[in-house]
Amino acid sequence: QVQLVESGGGLVQAGGSLGLSCKASSGRAFSADVMGWFRQAPGQQREFVAAITWNSDNTNYKDSVKGRFTISRDNAKNTVYLQMNSLKPEDTAVYYCAAKVSGGVPYSVSIYYDYWGQGTQVTVSS
């Protein structure tokens, strides 16, 4: 019903930067309480990376990316962003954006999100 499309992934050396974008097919996605980014490496569980509220009044990050990644959103453009700096090999994964419509549920748990993008590959070489 609502499609999220990520872009901006690629190959980068350790210490480098990448910026990811996620655009929604409908503004309905940006009626969501929270927009988030998750990632999944081969053989690993999907894990929370970052989230941002509708009014951008609150952001949350996985501990290992704090100070390196920045999440932001532009509701007028139906787009959420993830700027990734000082990348490390352990950041290598497929990155997914997601929208959570329901409130009152954990922002860091994937099963509570209603809409998902197709993912974009981020590879960080050592």
Side-chain angles (χ1 to χ4, degrees):
Q1 184 177 6
V2 175
Q3 184 174 355
L4 305 176
V5 180
E6 303 97 334
S7 62
L11 174 64
V12 65
Q13 290 184 322
S17 298
L18 284 173
L20 306 182
S21 297
C22 173
K23 184 173 176 59
S25 63
S26 170
R28 291 176 61 186
F30 278 72
S31 296
D33 179 42
V34 170
M35 295 293 296
W37 287 94
F38 292 76
R39 67 188 184 188
Q40 187 168 22
Q44 303 295 317
Q45 298 181 40
R46 185 169 297 186
E47 65 179 3
F48 168 77
V49 177
I52 186 168
T53 57
W54 168 256
N55 297 120
S56 299
D57 59 351
N58 192 26
T59 57
N60 292 277
Y61 297 91
K62 176 181 174 65
D63 286 345
S64 64
V65 310
K66 289 180 179 177
R68 300 190 296 120
F69 292 11
T70 302
I71 188 171
S72 61
R73 66 192 293 172
D74 186 337
N75 293 341
K77 296 181 179 179
N78 296 335
T79 303
V80 62
Y81 307 94
L82 185 68
Q83 179 63 43
M84 305 183 294
N85 299 323
S86 301
L87 283 161
K88 304 175 180 179
E90 51 263 44
D91 295 318
T92 295
V94 177
Y95 284 69
Y96 300 88
C97 68
K100 182 169 73 70
V101 176
S102 300
V105 295
Y107 59 83
S108 62
V109 180
S110 62
I111 61 172
Y112 295 113
Y113 283 75
D114 301 284
Y115 305 104
W116 290 86
Q118 83 288 355
T120 185
Q121 177 71 48
V122 172
T123 302
V124 184
S125 62
S126 58

